[in-house]
Amino acid sequence: MNETPNREQSEDDKSSHHGQILQALNAVHDPRSSNELRYEATQFLEHIRSDDNAPHQGFLLASAKEQSPIVRHYGLSLLDYAIRHSWADYTREQSEALRGWVLELAQACSEQDPSYLINKVAELWVETAKRSWAVDWMDMDELLVRLWNGGTVQKGLVLNILETLSDDIFTTEDSVAALRGSDLNRACIEIFISAAVLSEQFPTRETSINIRHGSDGWLSRMSETLYECISPSELDKPRQTLILKTLSTFKSIIGWAIPKALVSTSAVDRICACMAVSDMAVQLAAIDTLYALYNRSRFSEDDFRDIVGPMLRPDAIALLRQLYEWLQVDPTDIDDGKYLTLKRVSETVFNLGRLLGDRPSYLPEGSDLAGFIGLLMIVMKNDSLQVSIPALHLWTKFLQSEMISKSPAVQDFIGDLLETCSHRLVRYEALPLKTNNPSIIFLNEDIETMPERHAFLGNYARFCNQVVELVVQQQPIDALYHILGQADQVLNHLYDAEPPFVPLAYSKNSVPWLKIDAQFTVIEAALKGCLKWLTSTDTAIIRHEHEVMTSNLQVWCDRLLGLTFEDPLIKERIIQLAVGFAVGPLKRDPQFAVRVFDHVLETRCPIFPQSTVYSDAVRDLQVFATYQLQRLAMRFADHLVTIFDVVERKVMAVSEDVALDEQMKARYTSVLFVVMHRATQIDSSIREARLEQYLSTLIAQWQDDGLKRSLSSFHAFSRRLGLENLQQYFLSRSIKDITDWSTHPLDDEGKRLQAQMQTALESLPLRPTKHVMGVSVEKLERDTEPYDMAYRLWQKYLPILLPNVLAFIGQAQAFYDPDNWTGITLELKPVVRRIFTDRFWQVGISQGTRDDFYASIGGTRATLEGFASSIRATMRMLRESGYRLLYYMSQLGDLFYGLQELPEPLAKALFNDACALSPHQMALMVDTMRPIIENCPRECRNHFLPPILSALFEQVDRKASSEWERIERRKSAATDDDDLASEMKDESVLRQLTLASVMLVAGLLEPAKPSLPPDSKIKPNGANHASSSDSTRGFILQTPQVLKPLILFCTHALGMRDTRACSLITRVFRAVIGDFSGDTPLEADVREFISTEVLKACITSLNDPYFVDMQKDFAQLIASIFIAYTPRTETPKQIVLTLPGMAAEKVDRTMRHLQRAHANPRQQRAIILELLQGFRGVAIHEQGKLPKPDPAKLRSAMQQKYMTADMEGMELKDKEEEGPDLGGVAEMLN
């Protein structure tokens, strides 16, 4: 840009450029232009932006009212480009000229101008202000006030400027604003807040530089504007527009504005008054603004009285209730505007209640608590669960507040609250999607994906359970009797208006089961509250109440055990509830526990092989019953052992009668094992001898020479499983040419092979050993007598078991790699891979329901697909049983970890063929290894961990990287005929592997908080955790054999397309960077690797549009690398200098800024993002490839959190989120 371009440029040059630009714009937008002409014109327009005279040309075009809006907008874009990309290179005279053009354009805005032109002028003003306001532009506030005193258009322009300025300075990750530090924060506060409030709040603030105009401040002007606009009875279009702009600006600033300033300007009262305006858009804007205000973390007592108090007055609550009732929508004809506003009202009520629940003592005189509680109850009962859930969540908080929960206002609604929660504990996910149920209709409208639906309904049920539990804890007798009375009604009329039970027409989600499940869920929540009440107090009166209560509960439960139902799922539910009574409030009554034990043993169902669904349910009931028997055995072992002979006869009789295979018999035997193992009233030597008897048969199987030989080679292992002729079978049936295996019936030879494999599988000792070892070590504290007994018991057998367990795992995993199959032909290799391709149902991706999927699986058992499924199931059982046994062995501490010869064979068995496993199977293996690794005793780390961890991360890195590359290749070559559901499933499963691996890394290097939300704060430079070799973290960081593959995987993970895993890895890197700032050779090597490869990976991902929402994570990591390492190495600087067009002066300036911003993460990110401005990816919708989402369909932050499976952050009021940058306020306070 010339020194004074508007003076020196000749008229001919102006005219020439002007004409060329107009011609080019016409060519671009004329539909008759050829592609070649349009391309040339576009290139010219792109090129002209960098011309020195482009800003002046832009001003001329933008200010030419006779030109079309398209031409004028292009002129504004030339100015925008100059401000954003060349401002730092301009002289003061040039920047003043540029600013002057922006001011002229702002003053010239009129009602005839399209809104997008006015918005663009406001954007230019803000971009200019961020660079020069309060530096060499001191009269901006005065100019804004002058504009404000103009017409409605000028007021709208000023509000747009103020809102955008507030957002960029306090809220968004705007790099230009952040580079100014707290200067802009202070300047913003100075012009928004009245001089009187500032003097009162910050009497010692710096006032030598005056940037404000007048004493009122913009909060006062905006508040007065609201008052003037809503005073007349009729609301015309200009006033409505001005109200909406004013409320939108209030919403932006209300999160950081000083509460006293809001009070002094009557802003809250005037925003509330907007709710009474009969205009939907205004009401929604007012509610959104109040939501932002009451979303603040806390207020002082005075501020609470002045800001929260008015909303708790009778008139305000009546207004909220009136608005809420007017906003009700018909589920069959949903009004989007009303429904959106209704949700915002619910969320605002939650925020008000949250503030009240945090500080109930602040409740001012004259507040209508009863009215607020009544409104809360009405909102909670709304048919829309999304409208209801904030109110339900708030009830859980109120019931935990002693002051609020005991108030008459709350007590009056306890019955209604209990009734509502009981009705809402039905399994909505089991109800049909097409129904007249209004809650389901609203759910279908609100939530599109099944994972979000399940997470949301899970959170809703959790809150309902908490409410029931808290109510029973506080009013146990009345509440529990009421709940049990409801249950009696349900049980007595369960099959009223329902067809009789027919096994052949069995359905897992029958109406009777849904009714009983919902009612029993309420009872289980009540039992938790009852148990807390029973253990919380101990007076004579309370003890008597305890005795009466437990006696009545026992009577009710005995009556429950006497009921008979034919549905296996209902039987299972009764068992679950009865055992809950026995180990819960009735745990002091072993006689009752024995009755429950007998009931569980005697519960059985007739067999109907004709119904696969029913038969599966019966089998599930048997498995569930044995698990509940084990629970009872663990809790009441001392009593059961006194009648052990009777118990043993009963258990063995039932086992012989109903157990369909050896695995089920092992489950029943494990019940007896638990009783004898956990009982402490009998001499330990007697118990130990008895346990040895139970184990003797199992151990003999493990010592069998035939078993050892069968595990010695792949061929021998195949022969042991009856699969040695599998290849010949496949070849003879030309299976490779059959497209759909599920429609091809299995012939007699195939059925014989299938039965032979099943028989061989049941003869193996893996599963029985898994059950017995599991019950002998799980849920035991170290240094207890049962643990010591388990230690002695397995000490002599571990050397026998372990080599064979490793062989089982190794041989089973070898099956997944076709190259291991002896003499396999080339044409059969794809068949083997197809056999081991898992079939599974995934929420939100698979077609149909989970039950539909399992029904289809059951229908293919007698087909080739069923045969393949049997082979998969066999290998899966061998692998997973082996994994589980390793975990149980690890519970024995040094007995397992202390084996010097173990690590290498263990690593070989687990990881030699790991890459042949599917991502789903490998993710399971990673999850299995995690506790084994993390529980390794310190004294065993040196010999145990290096072989295991190095092999694990080498294979995980290899597998995850190759799978992500395969998926990206498939996407790049995608066609319309591709199976999108299959691709989505593959990617979803790969995300599970990636996240499981990353979580393992986080658990090892960030042990205190491995599952923090992605935005949680981590101290930079490794300050979070000591690197002492006493910790697993320190050991890993000091062991090159482990560190190298681990850090290589982490580097590759920075580019894997999973934002959750990638964000976690950036945090892990930030946590360990400081550990490599020293002088040892290892530290120097790792430092150089991070400065090179990790930095390159960050820049690459920063450039990827997929990671556009993670740019601040990458920028923070890059900043951490620069701050920690540039004092010791030039490598980060040299890497950045290799980027095209990167100047050394720019990098040096960045490094200086980073050193000054060492304590301000937001500023550090801004500095890096500014440095890499031209290398950042752009969101797809910003590229024009996809439309921006409809704002009416966007979810609020609260709605999104209720659709998240992990909602612990909700309980802490968004501590993981960064709020407004209040650096300016902090400096004023100082």
Side-chain angles (χ1 to χ4, degrees):
M1 190 165 90
N2 294 333
E3 288 295 319
T4 53
N6 54 335
R7 302 287 186 268
E8 293 183 1
Q9 188 182 20
S10 70
E11 291 299 323
D12 289 342
D13 289 342
K14 291 180 188 177
S15 176
S16 173
H17 276 225
H18 203 75
Q20 289 175 331
I21 291 172
L22 291 176
Q23 289 175 8
L25 284 170
N26 184 60
V28 168
H29 294 285
D30 189 343
R32 295 168 297 180
S33 299
S34 66
N35 289 338
E36 182 180 358
L37 179 60
R38 185 175 288 111
Y39 175 77
E40 291 176 356
T42 302
Q43 291 299 106
F44 171 76
L45 294 173
E46 287 291 315
H47 174 73
I48 206 71
R49 296 191 309 176
S50 303
D51 189 88
D52 286 346
N53 294 309
H56 185 229
Q57 290 291 340
F59 170 68
L60 294 176
L61 291 172
S63 58
K65 297 280 187 177
E66 71 277 6
Q67 295 290 352
S68 70
I70 291 176
V71 172
R72 295 175 63 196
H73 189 273
Y74 176 74
L76 293 174
S77 73
L78 291 179
L79 288 168
D80 182 66
Y81 186 86
I83 295 170
R84 291 178 186 272
H85 298 281
S86 304
W87 186 273
D89 300 324
Y90 290 156
T91 65
R92 180 165 183 168
E93 184 181 5
Q94 289 173 324
S95 60
E96 286 179 353
L98 193 51
R99 186 166 66 231
W101 295 333
V102 173
L103 298 182
E104 283 188 50
L105 292 169
Q107 291 162 358
C109 288
S110 66
E111 292 181 0
Q112 287 73 40
D113 291 329
S115 59
Y116 64 86
L117 288 183
I118 298 174
N119 293 340
K120 188 65 178 179
V121 171
E123 184 182 329
L124 294 180
W125 184 301
V126 172
E127 291 302 321
T128 305
K130 288 186 297 189
R131 289 162 173 83
S132 63
W133 179 37
V135 178
D136 58 1
W137 184 15
M138 310 305 292
D139 63 342
M140 187 188 82
D141 195 38
E142 181 181 353
L143 296 171
L144 286 173
V145 173
R146 287 180 188 172
L147 278 175
W148 182 259
N149 292 330
T152 303
V153 171
Q154 281 69 35
K155 278 186 168 63
L157 174 64
V158 170
L159 289 168
N160 198 337
I161 291 169
L162 293 173
E163 179 183 354
T164 308
L165 202 57
S166 168
D167 285 341
D168 287 356
I169 292 172
F170 288 96
T171 307
T172 63
E173 291 283 331
D174 185 88
S175 57
V176 178
L179 287 171
R180 293 281 306 274
S182 59
D183 293 344
L184 285 176
N185 302 56
R186 290 199 305 274
C188 234
I189 293 165
E190 187 73 35
I191 67 170
F192 272 96
I193 310 302
S194 70
V197 171
L198 284 176
S199 298
E200 178 187 347
Q201 295 291 303
F202 312 109
T204 61
R205 82 185 198 282
E206 174 62 47
T207 57
S208 59
I209 301 176
N210 184 25
I211 59 169
R212 67 181 299 132
H213 181 73
S215 60
D216 292 343
W218 285 104
L219 271 178
S220 177
R221 298 183 189 105
M222 289 160 55
S223 180
E224 285 301 318
T225 298
L226 271 187
Y227 178 73
E228 292 168 3
C229 287
I230 61 178
S231 293
S233 56
E234 293 295 327
L235 186 66
D236 57 26
K237 182 64 176 178
R239 285 209 312 276
Q240 185 228 32
T241 302
L242 191 55
I243 290 175
L244 292 175
K245 286 183 177 292
T246 305
L247 288 171
S248 182
T249 308
F250 260 121
K251 180 183 174 183
S252 172
I253 67 174
I254 212 161
W256 56 262
I258 300 169
K260 286 288 188 294
L262 296 173
V263 175
S264 68
T265 57
S266 302
V268 179
D269 291 336
R270 287 165 183 175
I271 294 169
C272 288
C274 291
M275 291 193 300
V277 175
S278 56
D279 183 278
M280 179 75 66
V282 171
Q283 291 171 334
L284 177 57
I287 285 293
D288 275 344
T289 306
L290 290 173
Y291 173 83
L293 172 61
Y294 298 120
N295 199 40
R296 293 174 69 148
S297 298
R298 62 184 62 84
F299 293 99
S300 68
E301 186 169 0
D302 289 343
D303 293 337
F304 186 99
R305 182 188 63 244
D306 296 332
I307 292 179
V308 181
M311 290 299 294
L312 298 174
R313 293 195 300 252
D315 56 336
I317 290 174
L319 178 59
L320 269 174
R321 184 163 183 166
Q322 182 181 355
L323 177 61
Y324 171 83
E325 291 172 348
W326 181 76
L327 290 169
Q328 296 307 302
V329 294
D330 181 356
T332 61
D333 184 20
I334 297 175
D335 182 319
D336 288 339
K338 275 190 171 185
Y339 191 39
L340 180 61
T341 310
L342 187 65
K343 293 175 185 176
R344 295 293 189 270
V345 170
S346 173
E347 293 172 2
T348 303
V349 168
F350 171 84
N351 276 339
L352 278 169
R354 174 186 55 77
L355 291 168
L356 175 60
D358 290 343
R359 296 287 188 275
S361 60
Y362 288 0
L363 188 67
E365 291 287 335
S367 298
D368 185 10
L369 181 59
F372 183 78
I373 298 296
L375 173 62
L376 185 65
M377 194 70 233
I378 292 173
V379 175
M380 180 192 155
K381 295 172 75 172
N382 193 284
D383 286 333
S384 166
L385 300 187
Q386 265 211 350
V387 174
S388 168
I389 195 170
L392 175 62
H393 187 187
L394 186 56
W395 270 111
T396 67
K397 293 178 176 294
F398 277 2
L399 290 171
Q400 293 177 72
S401 167
E402 186 173 357
M403 182 178 293
I404 296 178
S405 65
K406 292 184 177 180
S407 66
V410 169
Q411 294 299 314
D412 290 344
F413 287 98
I414 288 297
D416 200 6
L417 179 64
L418 208 56
E419 192 80 18
T420 304
C421 286
S422 298
H423 288 305
R424 293 278 169 95
L425 275 170
V426 67
R427 290 182 187 261
Y428 288 98
E429 58 268 39
L431 298 177
L433 294 178
K434 294 182 179 180
T435 176
N436 293 326
N437 186 314
S439 294
I440 297 296
I441 296 174
F442 280 121
L443 266 178
N444 295 338
E445 171 72 16
D446 292 327
I447 307 175
E448 295 179 355
T449 70
M450 293 305 291
E452 289 182 326
R453 189 186 186 98
H454 282 284
F456 174 81
L457 292 173
N459 287 322
Y460 198 95
R462 180 165 64 89
F463 290 141
C464 284
N465 276 304
Q466 285 181 6
V467 168
V468 173
E469 180 182 335
L470 289 164
V471 168
V472 172
Q473 186 178 351
Q474 294 168 16
Q475 301 182 25
I477 296 177
D478 294 340
L480 203 54
Y481 288 168
H482 173 77
I483 290 169
L484 294 179
Q486 282 183 321
D488 285 334
Q489 288 295 315
V490 171
L491 289 167
N492 292 335
H493 303 280
L494 193 59
Y495 280 94
D496 289 1
E498 293 294 327
F501 182 82
V502 179
L504 291 176
Y506 183 69
S507 169
K508 285 192 173 183
N509 292 323
S510 65
V511 172
W513 179 80
L514 287 172
K515 287 180 181 178
I516 208 167
D517 175 73
Q519 199 58 52
F520 282 12
T521 300
V522 176
I523 295 174
E524 286 164 345
L527 291 184
K528 292 181 182 178
C530 180
L531 197 58
K532 289 181 179 178
W533 171 72
L534 289 171
T535 57
S536 61
T537 51
D538 188 21
T539 64
I541 296 177
I542 296 297
R543 281 197 296 272
H544 175 69
E545 290 180 347
H546 287 182
E547 292 172 2
V548 173
M549 168 77 77
T550 54
S551 175
N552 290 333
L553 288 178
Q554 188 182 119
V555 169
W556 187 89
C557 200
D558 281 333
R559 190 164 65 250
L560 173 68
L561 296 178
L563 298 176
T564 56
F565 296 100
E566 297 175 273
D567 189 331
L569 275 177
I570 293 179
K571 288 176 178 286
E572 183 178 303
R573 206 65 184 84
I574 290 174
I575 288 174
Q576 184 178 0
L577 183 61
V579 174
F581 273 100
V583 301
L586 302 180
K587 61 185 177 182
R588 296 180 181 177
D589 187 350
Q591 296 296 334
F592 173 76
V594 171
R595 292 200 296 277
V596 175
F597 190 93
D598 288 342
H599 174 82
V600 177
L601 268 179
E602 293 164 5
T603 297
R604 60 194 67 184
C605 292
I607 302 297
F608 283 91
Q610 303 93 322
S611 173
T612 302
V613 179
Y614 175 81
S615 299
D616 289 344
V618 172
R619 182 173 180 83
D620 291 343
L621 171 64
Q622 291 179 347
V623 173
F624 183 79
T626 57
Y627 173 72
Q628 296 300 321
L629 289 172
Q630 289 174 10
R631 284 185 69 193
L632 292 168
M634 288 181 182
R635 181 66 184 82
F636 299 98
D638 282 327
H639 183 78
L640 290 172
V641 80
T642 62
I643 53 172
F644 187 78
D645 291 342
V646 176
V647 170
E648 185 177 33
R649 281 197 303 274
K650 288 182 178 179
V651 170
M652 296 310 295
V654 170
S655 175
E656 291 297 326
D657 189 24
V658 304
L660 301 176
D661 52 35
E662 292 301 319
Q663 182 184 5
M664 190 60 66
K665 290 181 179 179
R667 290 180 181 275
Y668 281 106
T669 302
S670 66
V671 175
L672 300 175
F673 188 97
V674 170
V675 174
M676 192 56 65
H677 178 229
R678 302 295 173 102
T680 58
Q681 305 301 316
I682 296 180
D683 183 82
S684 61
S685 60
I686 298 175
R687 289 161 43 220
E688 207 162 331
R690 193 64 176 267
L691 295 176
E692 293 272 11
Q693 291 178 15
Y694 287 128
L695 291 178
S696 60
T697 305
L698 270 180
I699 300 303
Q701 287 181 272
W702 285 102
Q703 292 176 311
D704 179 60
D705 290 336
L707 178 67
K708 294 178 182 179
R709 285 193 299 271
S710 68
L711 294 171
S712 61
S713 69
F714 184 84
H715 181 71
F717 186 66
S718 302
R719 189 167 57 248
R720 175 67 183 242
L721 293 177
L723 298 176
E724 71 273 20
N725 297 320
L726 199 57
Q727 292 186 57
Q728 290 80 354
Y729 177 78
F730 290 156
L731 285 170
S732 64
R733 270 64 177 179
S734 300
I735 193 172
K736 65 181 179 61
D737 299 324
I738 300 173
T739 304
D740 188 356
W741 291 356
S742 63
T743 60
H744 198 283
L746 194 61
D747 58 20
D748 291 340
E749 176 62 15
K751 292 177 181 178
R752 186 189 67 77
L753 286 172
Q754 192 177 36
Q756 185 176 313
M757 180 175 58
Q758 185 63 34
T759 302
L761 183 65
E762 291 180 4
S763 70
L764 298 177
L766 265 175
R767 283 191 289 188
T769 307
K770 181 189 71 172
H771 294 312
V772 175
M773 183 172 274
V775 297
S776 70
V777 298
E778 279 195 305
K779 299 179 181 178
L780 283 179
E781 295 291 332
R782 299 288 176 96
D783 301 324
T784 60
E785 199 269 347
Y787 179 86
D788 292 339
M789 180 176 290
Y791 189 97
R792 293 192 302 272
L793 198 63
W794 293 110
Q795 187 173 20
K796 63 182 94 171
Y797 297 136
L798 214 57
I800 299 171
L801 299 179
L802 198 47
N804 290 331
V805 170
L806 297 183
F808 267 120
I809 294 172
Q811 296 294 0
Q813 292 186 174
F815 251 89
Y816 290 79
D817 188 349
D819 292 336
N820 291 322
W821 288 47
T822 307
I824 191 169
T825 61
L826 194 62
E827 62 181 341
L828 276 185
K829 287 187 176 183
V831 172
V832 173
R833 295 191 182 96
R834 183 175 172 183
I835 287 172
F836 289 107
T837 299
D838 289 325
R839 287 191 299 174
F840 49 85
W841 184 84
Q842 262 191 303
V843 175
I845 297 177
S846 300
Q847 297 294 320
T849 66
R850 186 192 301 267
D851 291 337
D852 293 338
F853 171 78
Y854 283 116
S856 69
I857 294 293
T860 63
R861 286 176 181 171
T863 66
L864 279 176
E865 182 56 53
F867 185 31
S869 181
S870 298
I871 298 172
R872 281 196 299 273
T874 297
M875 299 308 159
R876 183 171 60 248
M877 189 284 294
L878 295 174
R879 285 188 304 104
E880 294 179 4
S881 295
Y883 295 161
R884 200 65 187 165
L885 277 169
L886 290 177
Y887 167 72
Y888 292 145
M889 291 175 184
S890 73
Q891 299 298 294
L892 298 170
D894 59 356
L895 193 60
F896 173 77
Y897 293 103
L899 295 170
Q900 295 295 320
E901 68 281 5
L902 173 62
E904 294 293 346
L906 177 58
K908 180 180 178 181
L910 287 169
F911 307 123
N912 262 21
D913 293 292
C915 274
L917 300 176
S918 70
H920 174 69
Q921 294 154 357
M922 184 172 264
L924 178 65
M925 182 179 67
V926 171
D927 285 336
T928 301
M929 290 306 298
R930 183 174 172 179
I932 295 176
I933 292 166
E934 291 177 345
N935 294 334
C936 179
R938 182 173 61 85
E939 59 274 12
C940 299
R941 286 179 195 143
N942 284 333
H943 88 276
F944 183 83
L945 288 182
I948 304 298
L949 288 176
S950 59
L952 171 62
F953 284 110
E954 284 172 4
Q955 296 304 313
V956 164
D957 186 23
R958 180 182 163 196
K959 181 68 176 181
S961 297
S962 63
E963 289 292 324
W964 278 115
E965 289 172 6
R966 183 180 63 82
I967 281 181
E968 291 307 309
R969 284 196 304 271
R970 187 163 69 178
K971 284 182 178 179
S972 64
T975 67
D976 293 339
D977 297 329
D978 289 348
D979 185 353
L980 185 59
S982 175
E983 292 179 14
M984 291 173 63
K985 255 192 280 194
D986 289 349
E987 188 165 342
S988 175
V989 172
L990 184 52
R991 290 180 193 281
Q992 294 172 20
L993 170 61
T994 306
L995 185 60
S997 306
V998 167
M999 290 294 288
L1000 174 60
V1001 173
L1004 295 172
L1005 299 185
E1006 220 188 331
K1009 298 281 184 181
S1011 56
L1012 284 173
D1015 293 332
S1016 59
K1017 306 299 186 295
I1018 295 183
K1019 297 178 183 178
N1021 308 334
N1024 291 69
H1025 308 289
S1027 292
S1028 167
S1029 58
D1030 286 345
S1031 67
T1032 303
R1033 178 181 188 274
F1035 172 78
I1036 290 172
L1037 295 181
Q1038 296 173 20
T1039 307
Q1041 182 185 353
V1042 176
L1043 185 60
K1044 180 180 176 181
L1046 185 150
I1047 208 167
L1048 194 60
F1049 163 71
C1050 292
T1051 305
H1052 293 157
L1054 288 170
M1056 293 176 185
R1057 299 298 186 91
D1058 183 86
T1059 52
R1060 186 179 175 191
C1062 195
S1063 179
L1064 190 55
I1065 281 295
T1066 63
R1067 292 170 47 226
V1068 170
F1069 266 123
R1070 282 162 43 207
V1072 302
I1073 279 174
D1075 292 280
F1076 303 105
S1077 299
D1079 299 320
T1080 68
L1082 175 62
E1083 289 174 314
D1085 288 346
V1086 175
R1087 182 166 61 243
E1088 288 301 308
F1089 181 87
I1090 292 175
S1091 299
T1092 306
E1093 300 304 325
V1094 175
L1095 183 56
K1096 286 180 181 178
C1098 285
I1099 295 172
T1100 300
S1101 293
L1102 191 71
N1103 182 249
D1104 191 333
Y1106 177 85
F1107 292 111
V1108 69
D1109 293 329
M1110 274 196 59
Q1111 289 183 358
K1112 68 177 185 178
D1113 299 84
F1114 292 120
Q1116 193 68 65
L1117 177 52
I1118 294 170
S1120 299
I1121 293 172
F1122 267 90
I1123 292 170
Y1125 291 163
T1126 49
R1128 303 186 64 87
T1129 176
E1130 286 283 300
T1131 303
K1133 176 181 175 181
Q1134 296 304 320
I1135 293 296
V1136 173
L1137 284 173
T1138 62
L1139 296 173
M1142 184 63 68
E1145 298 80 8
K1146 188 175 183 180
V1147 179
D1148 291 336
R1149 184 169 63 246
T1150 295
M1151 291 168 64
R1152 290 194 298 272
H1153 287 162
L1154 282 174
Q1155 294 303 327
R1156 289 199 295 269
H1158 68 278
N1160 189 329
R1162 182 171 181 257
Q1163 198 169 4
Q1164 291 170 13
R1165 294 194 293 269
I1167 292 167
I1168 294 298
L1169 292 174
E1170 179 73 12
L1171 171 70
L1172 301 174
Q1173 178 63 41
F1175 304 95
R1176 293 162 57 184
V1178 180
I1180 293 176
H1181 67 77
E1182 292 179 14
Q1183 299 173 10
K1185 296 179 181 178
L1186 285 177
K1188 288 188 177 181
D1190 180 2
K1193 297 294 185 181
L1194 292 177
R1195 295 178 185 138
S1196 68
M1198 187 180 292
Q1199 289 169 357
Q1200 191 59 50
K1201 283 174 183 171
Y1202 287 129
M1203 294 183 204
T1204 304
D1206 179 12
M1207 269 198 53
E1208 292 181 4
M1210 283 291 293
E1211 312 302 322
L1212 300 175
K1213 183 57 188 71
D1214 302 344
K1215 284 188 177 179
E1216 75 279 6
E1217 292 187 358
E1218 288 190 23
D1221 181 0
L1222 301 180
V1225 178
E1227 290 193 15
M1228 286 182 170
L1229 287 169
N1230 292 331

